[in-house]
Amino acid sequence: MSAAEGPLVVGVDSSTQSTKVLVVDAATGRVVAGGQAPHTVSSGTGRESDPRQWWDALCAALHQCGEAAHEAAAVAVAGQQHGLVALDAQGDPVRPALLWNDVRSAPQARRLVEELGGPKTWAERTGSVPGASFTVTKWAWLAEHEPEAARSTAAVRLPHDYLTEHLTGLGTTDRGDVSGTGWWASATEAYDEEILAHVGLDPALLPRVVRPGEVAGTVRDSHDLPFSKGTLVAPGTGDNAAAALGLGLRPGTPVLSLGTSGTVYAVSRHRPADPSGTVAGFADARGDWLPLACTLNCTLAVDRVAALLGLDREAVEPGTTVTLLPYLDGERTPNLPNASGLLYGLRHDTTPGQLLQAAYDGAVHALLGALDLVLDQDADRTTPLLLIGGGARGTAWQQTVRRLSGRPVQVPEAKELVALGAAAQAAGLLTGEDPAAVARRWKTAGGPVLDPVERDEATLTRISGVLSDAASLLERGARTD
């Protein structure tokens, strides 16, 4: 390993499936070391993980980085949003964490919206209309279905909070991640005590919200970690806010992220409040806002369809008139938490490759439908759409997004943007810079731009028509719990 030009920083991405770590030169953005370790997610009636796996995975990934991690001057943790981590008085989980894609709290979400003033009131108050992904609905589900676990809870954390607290010994969070809970008021940037009282959650159980640029703490003495004692710990944030930092995102530039979930978002100077619930009015990790729309079913759903057909994920064929809505885990955009997948328009001459293309079309359709709601009205519609996430380098994904958006598409060459965003936040602690400016200095968003093609209005109209006609059938879905 050649000598670094500046201090080293560590960025962590603790996602649904694994924890990834990058050690980065704060001066140049050069990645000098990296590590990764997996997690497991339950495949039963819900989506759960033992938070202690996340810590074990973080330790394993850091040790893979060798001496570079020991030399780091600062660290930041980015994590999957929304997950409910309930801890007892000793700091141990009272039960596995309920993850963002666990939709069992859909009835509680509907009830909370109705009981506290309706969608418009929630949007104005918290920036978002809570769905089953939001933490507040998961706490309501826990209190109703597992009251003993709720009574045993002495601290409530988000996934990134849990890891940051293990590093520092202090209970902290940040505005980006806490804005996805449903109990943080975006208008006042404080916990909403009326909402907390309504769901029976004592605000004393929640972490302190650390401001952007503030030091969350220092690494405490731990034999599990290769860090030096006293290494600075940044606030950290949620995964999408970290990716926005990792891209050095400026207001008005749209991002489409293709991962386990699919998201579309952009930085805005205006506090969002969409009463339809399509756009979540999240805060970013800098002091601006990050209006975002999310689908539960993205790359995993399309890969599952490819596996069922016995095809490689790139084996798409044009010319399909089939509509496939791949809502294999329920759906968030549109808000159909009990939905299952739907196939419409199958004919004798339909090929497996056309069915696979229909799955891509169905996955991309909802995200692009939310794009205009995410962007400010004065945003330049010719700005390239930044395509990131695990699917971004897939030709079939790229071509589907181009065809259905009609926009130029840019694919950043930098990998692991969530971890890079966390690293940029850690670097900002050392230099006093805006983390997004750090990432722009690192040139993380650079990559080829694919020219626009004519927008496929016929496919968009066909999918919208099927979705409208089948909404009630989709909502009944295959689940009866």
Side-chain angles (χ1 to χ4, degrees), residues 34-409:
Q36 180 175 352
H39 316 147
T40 58
V41 178
S42 70
S43 56
T45 57
R47 297 291 184 268
E48 304 178 349
S49 285
D50 185 339
R52 290 169 292 199
Q53 289 188 60
W54 306 337
W55 177 251
D56 292 342
L58 174 59
C59 293
L62 281 167
H63 282 291
Q64 292 170 28
C65 296
E67 186 64 21
H70 180 72
E71 295 175 4
V75 57
V77 178
Q80 54 180 305
Q81 287 187 266
H82 302 307
L84 175 67
V85 183
L87 306 174
D88 63 20
Q90 287 72 46
D92 295 321
V94 302
R95 69 174 322 284
L98 295 167
L99 303 185
W100 61 274
N101 53 351
D102 188 312
V103 296
R104 284 176 289 179
S105 62
Q108 287 73 25
R110 287 191 292 269
R111 191 163 67 239
L112 286 174
V113 172
E114 293 168 0
E115 291 172 349
L116 289 175
K120 187 172 187 295
T121 297
W122 273 92
E124 291 174 349
R125 192 166 182 163
T126 69
S128 304
V129 181
S133 294
F134 280 64
T135 325
V136 67
T137 72
K138 298 182 189 303
W139 176 260
W141 181 91
L142 187 70
E144 181 176 337
H145 290 272
E146 300 179 10
E148 185 56 40
R151 284 191 293 270
S152 300
T153 298
V156 171
R157 301 290 184 261
L158 296 166
H160 113 259
D161 307 341
Y162 176 80
L163 292 173
T164 300
E165 186 166 357
H166 266 57
L167 289 170
T168 65
L170 304 172
T172 61
T173 191
D174 91 301
R175 70 190 295 271
D177 212 2
V178 78
S179 66
T181 59
W183 55 54
W184 185 80
S186 62
T188 60
E189 300 210 19
Y191 289 124
D192 190 312
E193 296 197 5
E194 182 183 352
I195 291 174
L196 291 170
H198 189 80
V199 297
L201 181 56
D202 183 348
L205 274 58
L206 300 177
R208 181 174 73 89
V209 182
V210 178
R211 302 299 302 172
E214 184 181 347
V215 175
T218 57
V219 174
R220 58 180 173 177
D221 191 14
S222 170
H223 297 297
D224 296 332
L225 298 171
F227 292 125
S228 301
K229 184 179 179 181
T231 300
L232 296 180
V233 180
T237 193
D239 51 4
N240 290 300
L245 289 183
L247 289 164
L249 207 60
R250 297 182 188 274
T253 300
V255 178
L256 199 156
S257 177
L258 301 168
T260 303
S261 64
T263 56
V264 60
Y265 56 85
V267 170
S268 174
R269 298 269 161 75
H270 310 292
R271 186 175 73 89
D274 175 18
S276 77
T278 301
V279 176
F282 296 149
D284 77 352
R286 300 173 49 259
D288 286 328
W289 302 93
L290 197 72
L292 177 148
C294 175
T295 62
L296 295 183
N297 299 281
C298 195
T299 59
L300 288 183
V302 171
D303 284 353
R304 179 59 179 154
V305 172
L308 288 171
L309 295 170
L311 296 177
D312 181 89
R313 64 168 64 98
E314 294 289 340
V316 296
E317 295 180 27
T320 183
T321 57
V322 170
T323 297
L324 202 167
L325 301 177
Y327 303 159
L328 307 189
D329 281 314
E331 193 41 82
R332 173 167 160 177
T333 304
N335 185 27
L336 298 167
N338 295 320
S340 54
L342 184 143
L343 176 62
Y344 178 84
L346 193 64
R347 294 185 178 277
H348 273 291
D349 59 355
T350 302
T351 68
Q354 290 173 335
L355 281 179
L356 181 57
Q357 181 61 68
Y360 278 95
D361 291 348
V364 171
H365 171 268
L367 290 170
L368 293 179
L371 184 60
D372 286 340
L373 294 174
V374 164
L375 290 169
D376 292 335
Q377 289 186 350
D378 58 354
D380 183 355
R381 264 53 183 178
T382 65
T383 302
L385 179 61
L386 294 178
L387 198 63
I388 67 170
R393 285 172 170 77
T395 301
W397 282 110
Q398 292 175 4
Q399 298 310 319
T400 301
V401 171
R402 290 177 73 200
R403 179 171 52 82
L404 296 185
S405 71
R407 298 180 68 124
V409 170

